[in-house]
Amino acid sequence: TSVKTVMTPNPESVSPDMTVIEALQVMHDNKFLTLPVCDGEKVLGVVDVMDLIYGCGGINGWRSIFDSAMEVGDDGSETASVYSAGSKSRRSRNSSSV
């Protein structure tokens, strides 16, 4: 299987000038774990959610982000994984059929 067949074509991206919090919001809104950082058409790099959390102040930044998120309440978004939505994990299903 080639990467091309599983990649996300035309992915959402962030600019290098975007704040860490804004990038985390893009990730949350779109359920992304990674984002390319682009300047126009040029890809400068890739950030993942942990890069951004550390960019918010490491473990203390991580705690403050999630503490404040817990205070917000349910936003009504769909948060269940397509693989785990109320069922056993894919790994459990596959291993039980072995």
Side-chain angles (χ1 to χ4, degrees), residues 35-98:
L35 282 171
V37 180
C38 298
D39 187 10
E41 294 292 316
K42 183 179 180 182
V43 177
L44 302 175
V46 177
V47 293
D48 67 27
V49 70
M50 293 308 295
D51 294 331
L52 298 176
I53 288 171
Y54 286 124
C56 289
I59 190 70
N60 294 326
W62 178 87
R63 285 187 180 137
S64 67
I65 290 168
F66 288 101
D67 286 346
S68 63
M70 295 306 289
E71 295 170 6
V72 172
D74 187 3
D75 65 0
S77 68
E78 295 292 324
T79 57
S81 164
V82 293
Y83 294 112
S84 64
S87 65
K88 292 182 181 178
S89 72
R90 218 168 74 167
R91 176 183 235 174
S92 296
R93 286 192 309 258
N94 291 341
S95 63
S96 65
S97 63
V98 174

Side-chain angles (χ1 to χ4, degrees), residues 11-41:
E12 185 84 25
S13 65
V14 293
S15 75
D17 300 324
M18 184 175 278
T19 68
V20 167
I21 297 298
E22 289 170 326
L24 281 168
Q25 186 67 53
V26 170
M27 289 177 149
H28 173 268
D29 292 347
N30 295 286
K31 298 177 177 61
F32 298 146
L33 294 177
T34 59
L35 282 171
V37 180
C38 298
D39 187 10
E41 294 292 316

